[in-house]
Structures are given as C-alpha cells and as structure tokens.
Amino acid sequence: MEIAKIIEESQRFLMNTYNRFPIVLVKGRGTRVWDSEGKEYIDFVGGVAVNVIGHCHPKIVVALQKQAQRLIHVSNFYHIEPQIKLAKLLVKNSFAEKVFFCNSGAEANEAAIKLARKYSKTFFREDRYEIISTLNSFHGRTFASLTATGQEKFQKGFEPLLPGFKYVPFDNIDALKDTISSKTCAIILEPIQGEGGVKIPSGDYLKRVSQICKENKLLLILDEVQTGMGRTGKLFAYEHYGIKPDIMTIAKGLGGGVPIGALLTTEKIASVFEPGTHASTFGGNPLVCAAAIATLETILEDGYLLDHCRRMGKYFLEKLVKIKEKYPEIVYEVRGKGLLIGMELTMEGASIVKACLERGFLINCTAGKVLRFTPPLIIVEEEIDKLTITLKEIIEQYREKRLFNTVGSLN
Ligand SMILES: *Cc1c(COP(=O)(O)O)cnc(C)c1O
C-alpha cells in the first residue's frame, strides 16, 4: 500500500490519541528500524525505553517462537512455569521476595497503590490511606496512576480524580516532611523523573526519602517503569542510591518489547494480598514471560550490558555537553544516568525531533523542551557520534536561521 493511503487509513480507523510522525515502521533489527519506503533509522527512542536489548533480538525471537508453539495462554488458575522462572529471576536480582505480574506500567502502579492502602489498613488504621506523590511525575493513565501523576495537563477533563493523594515538589525534603500526616501511608516516586524531563534528584534526596519513610512507617513505592531493567546502568536505579524500596513497579523494558508489567515487594507487604484481592487475566502469561526471561537473562549475562550501558551513557553525555557548551543559547542543560538522557533546550524540541527523523534518527521530546534519548542498551559509540554530529548540524542551522530572523521549519 502506498504511504499516503496507509496514513489516511490510520487516521480514519484509529482514535486520535497520538501525534504520529508521517512514517510507517515495518522492520527492526538491533538499534535500527526501517520504514515502509525502505529508509533506515538509528533508534534513540527504543520504543520509549522498551527495546532494551534492541529490536528483534534473536534470544527474544527464539524464546517467543518456542513458547508460541508450546503454550500461549492459560489463565492464572494454574501454575505457569515461565512465570515462576521470571519471578525467581527478579527476586534473585532485586530487594524483593514476591512478584505480581500485570501488563503495563500503569497497571503495576495501580496494584502498588492498592497494595499500599491494604497494607496500611491491615497493619495500622482504616483512615491511614493517603499517598504522597511528586509534582512533575508520571505514573500512567489509569485513574489511580493518573491521580498519582503530578501533572495537571494529564488530569484535566477527567475529574474527579481518586481521593487520598497529596503532591510535593520533587527533590524537596522539607516539603515532603511538611506534608506527612497521620493519614499518610506511602510515598510514590520515580528515582529519576523520566516523562517529566529526565530530572535527576540531587545528592542524598532518595536516601533521605527512604529514611523519612522508615521513621514514619510509610511504604516507599519506587516507580521504576522507565528507570528499571538496566536503563540507568544498574539493573534497577535504586541500586545507585544505597536504598531499598518497599514496593517497586517495572514494565517498559521488562519484556524487551512485549507488554508486561510487574510489582515487586517483600514477603510481609505481599501478605495482605490474598486470593481474590487483586488479579489480571493476562498478567504473566507464558508468552510474555518467555520474552521477559530472555530479556533479563541477556541483560544479566556477565554484567556486560550494564557496564556497556554505563560507558555509552557517559560517552553520549560528554558529546552532548560539548554541544551545550558551544550553543548555550539553545541548549539549557544536559543530564542523564546510563542511557536515560535528557537535553533541555531553551526552545520547543518538536522541530529538532522532526529534523532528526528526516536525517534518519528517531529521538523523542518530552516535557516540551527536553530531547530524551532512550536507545537500546546495545547502542555503540559510532551511532552516538552519528547522532550527535547531526544534532550539532541541526542546531547550527537553527541558530543561523534565527540569526537571520527566518525561524520556521528546519527541513
Ligand atoms: C511509561 C511510564 C508509566 C506508564 O506505563 P504504561 O505501560 O504506559 O502504562 C508509568 N510510570 C513511568 C515512570 C513511566 O515512564
């Protein structure tokens, strides 16, 4: 089918919930994807931090093929071997003792919010149910996760939201202390705010949050949906900060591309969920678990990939810092951990994303002005060089246009 026709049908039959670029992606391999016209792109979006080991990694493909021939779905009325194996792997490689599987990040947070309330009502009091979240956070689009999301732009039009949430500025300990009351049961936050613009908390913020939780017997819920699965150079971002969450949610990179989410917690907290309290039809089905096992095993092999991620992240960041130093009037700040990297501009980023796309690079812009890079963790120096050289050219061109007062598209 001709491209114009595909796009026309896409707009005709799909709800208008995404601003899609006018290309149709049909194939992927490693760090590359191809569109329907055969044009190749280097992928610095990685399906928004999902394709951690690259597109169509042979280990995932084989695992999916084998599992698809054996058993795809049966429901959680029965024991499922790949689900048990995946849970065991996650427990072995984290703070957790128990795992609950679902299908997305929002659902994992939904489960976390339910679990925190049930725990507090069981071990404390009926009226101890408030959850403190941070401003500028992102936790998903379902009602509880949307309420936890501290950004009005996502909530507008859907009120009334879920009762029992309070918001504090991210990276501000005093505001957090002031907001805790006898009704508070938990704090939910991302170790690094992803969607909010790759905001990295300063110094010992997370450590102090963890201490405050302990002192007040609050549960610390870490949303590692974006930061987890090796993205920041450790399997989970909390490992950088010398803390342990009480509940952690993961999704995005967990299945390496298949939809799966999970909640991880301790034995004691998990004990308040009994048969019937929470469930998911698809959660942890054999097919997605097979892909997640392949993904996790690949990430953990010899620690090679995590080390590579840290090195590439550092290399990438250094290149971006050079661009910032050269064009301070266009680049405001560069920040990142591992391969979760943000470049905050002094202008809207959409036109730069478009210019990159035209030159064969997928990048993303979040929070309006922050170019976000979340490539597969297998990305190499040469690819980072290609992108940063192109970015520099685009910014240079933009600056010239601006100097000559002919701002507009960067085609
Ligand atoms: C993407 C994201 C979510 C939502 O995940 P979905 O799978 O889209 O529901 C939640 N929290 C964080 C931190 C995210 O980055």
Side-chain angles (χ1 to χ4, degrees), residues 104-107 109 138-141 190 195 223 225-226 251-252:
S104 68
E107 267 182 81
N109 286 328
F138 186 82
H139 299 295
R141 309 290 195 143
E190 300 152 86
E195 219 66 22
D223 178 346
V225 169
Q226 188 158 157
K252 290 198 166 86

Side-chain angles (χ1 to χ4, degrees), residues 258-282:
V258 302
I260 176 170
L263 177 156
L264 281 70
T265 190
T266 63
E267 184 95 44
K268 183 177 180 200
I269 298 166
S271 73
V272 302
F273 269 10
E274 291 162 353
T277 30
H278 195 59
S280 165
T281 298
F282 290 122

Side-chain angles (χ1 to χ4, degrees), residues 230 232-235 298-315 338-339 377 379:
T232 68
K234 299 258 187 197
L235 188 58
T298 305
I299 295 174
L300 293 171
E301 255 167 34
D302 308 330
Y304 156 80
L305 199 59
L306 295 179
D307 184 53
H308 178 78
C309 168
R310 288 192 291 271
R311 277 189 294 112
M312 289 308 106
K314 189 165 170 280
Y315 182 80
L339 285 166
L377 308 184
I379 199 99

Side-chain angles (χ1 to χ4, degrees), residues 49-324:
V50 166
N51 301 98
V52 278
I53 59 172
H55 293 275
C56 299
H57 190 290
K59 285 228 173 83
I60 295 184
V61 173
V62 170
L64 279 170
Q65 282 170 338
K66 276 194 177 157
Q67 191 59 49
Q69 282 173 345
R70 204 174 151 82
L71 186 69
I72 294 176
H73 180 84
V74 283
S75 94
N76 282 302
F77 296 155
Y78 315 99
H79 295 282
I80 298 167
E81 282 177 332
Q83 189 183 108
I84 302 162
K85 186 172 177 190
L86 178 58
K88 198 170 157 188
L89 263 177
L90 287 168
V91 164
K92 207 175 143 210
N93 289 285
S94 75
F95 75 98
E97 292 157 336
K98 293 275 188 183
V99 184
F100 173 83
F101 288 110
C102 54
N103 314 288
S104 68
E107 267 182 81
N109 286 328
E110 204 74 21
I113 290 162
K114 287 177 74 176
L115 183 63
R117 278 194 179 178
K118 191 104 194 317
Y119 176 83
S120 189
K121 284 167 188 270
T122 305
F123 287 105
F124 297 90
R125 292 179 314 278
E126 259 308 300
D127 72 344
R128 192 182 184 272
Y129 57 80
E130 267 179 14
I131 294 176
I132 299 175
S133 163
T134 62
L135 293 169
N136 198 43
S137 58
F138 186 82
H139 299 295
R141 309 290 195 143
T142 57
F143 258 105
S145 66
L146 176 69
T147 306
T149 294
Q151 300 195 58
E152 270 173 25
K153 69 173 181 196
F154 293 117
Q155 298 171 341
K156 223 172 143 241
F158 300 114
E159 302 86 352
L161 300 171
L162 196 70
F165 282 80
K166 291 266 168 71
Y167 308 90
V168 295
F170 187 60
D171 205 8
N172 185 328
I173 284 290
D174 292 336
L176 178 64
K177 281 185 180 163
D178 289 348
T179 308
I180 293 169
S181 76
S182 60
K183 287 187 167 177
T184 314
C185 75
I187 294 168
I188 183 168
L189 80 170
E190 300 152 86
I192 294 170
Q193 290 188 331
E195 219 66 22
V198 192
K199 296 272 170 66
I200 301 173
S202 53
D204 58 355
Y205 173 69
L206 289 168
K207 200 150 200 171
R208 293 184 67 191
V209 172
S210 166
Q211 272 164 5
I212 288 169
C213 284
K214 285 204 181 84
E215 284 161 21
N216 294 278
K217 296 194 164 57
L218 309 176
L219 297 182
L220 175 59
I221 305 171
L222 282 187
D223 178 346
E224 292 232 23
V225 169
Q226 188 158 157
T227 55
M229 302 310 290
R231 177 58 46 194
T232 68
K234 299 258 187 197
L235 188 58
F236 303 110
Y238 74 79
E239 298 169 39
H240 290 289
Y241 300 100
I243 59 164
K244 279 181 192 163
D246 297 298
I247 298 173
M248 175 172 74
T249 54
I250 53 176
K252 290 198 166 86
L254 177 56
V258 302
I260 176 170
L263 177 156
L264 281 70
T265 190
T266 63
E267 184 95 44
K268 183 177 180 200
I269 298 166
S271 73
V272 302
F273 269 10
E274 291 162 353
T277 30
H278 195 59
S280 165
T281 298
F282 290 122
N285 90 6
L287 192 72
V288 294
C289 286
I293 292 165
T295 307
L296 192 51
E297 282 180 345
T298 305
I299 295 174
L300 293 171
E301 255 167 34
D302 308 330
Y304 156 80
L305 199 59
L306 295 179
D307 184 53
H308 178 78
C309 168
R310 288 192 291 271
R311 277 189 294 112
M312 289 308 106
K314 189 165 170 280
Y315 182 80
F316 199 168
L317 209 56
E318 281 167 8
K319 295 271 162 178
L320 294 176
V321 166
K322 287 212 180 90
I323 298 178
K324 172 189 131 58

